[in-house]
Amino acid sequence: MSICEYRPGLENIPATQSSISYVDGQRGVLEYRGIRIEELAEKSTFLETAYLLIWGELPTKAELDAFKEEIQYHRRVKFRVRDMMKCFPESGHPMDALQASAAALGLFYSRRDLHNPAYIRAAAVRLLAKIPTMVAAFELIRKGNDPVQPRDDLDYAANFLYMLNEQEPDPLAARVFDVCLTLHAEHTINASTFSAMVTASTLTDPYAVIASAVGTLAGPLHGGANEEVVSMLEGIGSVANVRPYLDGLLERKAKIMGFGHRVYKVKDPRATILQSLAEQLFEKFGRDKYYDIAIELERAVEEKLGSKGIYPNVDFYSGLVYSKLGIPTDLFTPVFAISRVAGWLAHWKEQLAENRIFRPTQIYTGTHEAPYIPIEKR
Ligand code: CMC
């Protein structure tokens, strides 16, 4: 076996072979199972896309109807899970609440039968169905309210917004949110997906797989940039302040949140779609100054950093869209998890199909034959 060069962060080291998604960062292309993200955003729904990601093909109408019905049936969470969430501190971060609740599902559905397609499907359905309910439940509980039950007459995205805001969303808001879920559902081997794969490779249960991925997504280097975009736009405060603010950042060599990407060297295709969704929302529900600030900032950054391949990434417009949908800033990452669970489950299933436990090696940099020094002589 050849000895590979050590690459911090495993940069550019293939960790798997996968047919789930594909990114071409030079051309700004993202595909799920070979289908361009632009086409899915326009024509598909999140649940249909989740089915595509997990089972590899677009469902027939009968398959999709059956899948939606199963999801709808499993949306409620047991009162014991809700009661457990009531014991969480209300100042706790919603991502921690989600990680604990996702892990807790394993207590209730622990029978592990990883070779049985029916078990895989039931676990995937339960996780897709219950994660939005748990995110909305913690939001209401921390405000001192009882969680509301899911509504069977509302589809996936509309039902989440209803459970969160306790009122039926406008159809445009629900459609925009559904597209946001589609856009964030999968993105090759990022940190949380890798974490899901490593956990899956031990053949543990799927609730542990998803809980470990949620914990990884929670870090500020991964899921949290859109929160920071919103606070940056608030800090800029006015269109007139965009260029002085940007010059200040560049002088300090600080990063501009929502710009740049390890893979994309052109505008992230998801940012282009999100920008048009933001425009539709602002047109219907009223424009606010933060959108104008964002447009001016994109223009200014492109002038100064476009030649270095620094353009808006997915996080630049998603925070603006989520704020307009009434989603609190610290729920942006849990909302990302609601969507990304589809990709994690797809990788879990793919991992199981040809599993080998992850067991990389290391380059040892310590000493050998070191003496044991008695405690009184240290
Ligand atoms: N603002 C200003 N300069 C930047 C930025 C930025 N946002 N991003 C990269 N650069 C510059 C960087 O200073 C460096 O310049 P130089 O070569 O002169 O030293 C060059 O571009 C390469 O930067 P890097 O940090 O080595 O690039 P990376 O591939 O390691 O980092 C990144 C990618 C996303 C971590 C980085 O662009 C960044 O920190 N962006 C801001 C945070 C952000 O928006 N994160 C969300 C990422 S998208 C989420 C997802 O897909 O999961």
Side-chain angles (χ1 to χ4, degrees), residues 28-233:
V29 170
L30 169 62
E31 293 171 341
Y32 296 169
R33 300 284 186 187
I35 304 176
R36 290 282 284 255
I37 192 66
E38 291 83 354
E39 200 168 3
L40 290 167
E42 189 193 333
K43 299 178 186 162
S44 187
T45 60
F46 171 67
L47 278 188
E48 184 183 64
T49 298
Y51 188 105
L52 168 75
L53 288 168
I54 300 169
W55 284 281
E57 284 178 356
L58 286 169
T60 62
K61 177 156 185 340
E63 285 167 339
L64 182 60
D65 288 347
F67 183 54
K68 281 188 194 161
E69 209 172 292
E70 279 174 73
I71 296 272
Q72 192 176 304
Y73 182 80
H74 287 283
R75 274 175 186 166
R76 286 165 189 253
V77 294
K78 290 185 187 290
F79 78 84
R80 287 192 184 85
V81 176
R82 295 201 303 271
D83 285 357
M84 178 191 82
M85 295 175 93
K86 288 179 185 164
C87 300
F88 294 166
E90 55 206 29
S91 57
H93 197 282
M95 277 303 267
D96 294 327
L98 178 60
Q99 188 185 26
S101 322
L105 292 180
L107 292 161
F108 297 96
Y109 310 106
S110 58
R111 194 177 60 92
R112 196 180 304 138
D113 190 4
L114 299 175
H115 296 297
N116 180 353
Y119 173 84
I120 303 275
R121 182 175 176 115
V125 163
R126 277 202 192 98
L127 281 156
L128 282 163
K130 293 183 195 304
I131 283 185
T133 310
M134 296 190 305
V135 170
F138 183 68
E139 174 61 15
L140 293 200
I141 290 169
R142 72 175 174 167
K143 287 200 289 206
N145 300 331
D146 271 325
V148 299
Q149 292 291 2
R151 258 184 46 191
D152 286 350
D153 60 320
L154 296 177
D155 71 16
Y156 195 84
N159 176 59
F160 173 72
L161 293 175
Y162 161 74
M163 291 189 299
L164 188 70
N165 297 321
E166 297 182 88
Q167 63 181 40
E168 202 176 315
D170 176 274
L172 175 68
R175 173 64 192 150
V176 164
F177 185 60
D178 193 74
V179 176
C180 290
L181 294 178
T182 300
L183 295 179
H184 288 84
E186 162 63 8
H187 208 241
T188 72
I189 310 302
N190 50 81
S192 59
T193 300
F194 186 47
S195 168
M197 287 160 50
V198 172
T199 310
S201 79
T202 70
L203 303 184
T204 187
D205 73 60
Y207 309 100
V209 169
I210 297 306
S212 91
V214 170
T216 309
L217 183 68
L221 292 187
H222 192 3
N226 52 6
E227 286 187 31
E228 298 198 35
V229 170
V230 169
S231 48
M232 174 183 71
L233 296 175

Side-chain angles (χ1 to χ4, degrees), residues 187 222 225 250 254-262 265 268 270 305 308 310 313-315 336:
H187 208 241
H222 192 3
L250 294 177
K255 292 269 174 71
I256 307 136
M257 286 296 130
F259 286 83
H261 198 278
R262 174 67 57 83
K265 298 303 162 206
D268 182 331
R270 298 166 300 173
L305 298 174
K308 280 171 82 173
I310 303 207
N313 59 48
V314 67
D315 286 320
F336 190 163

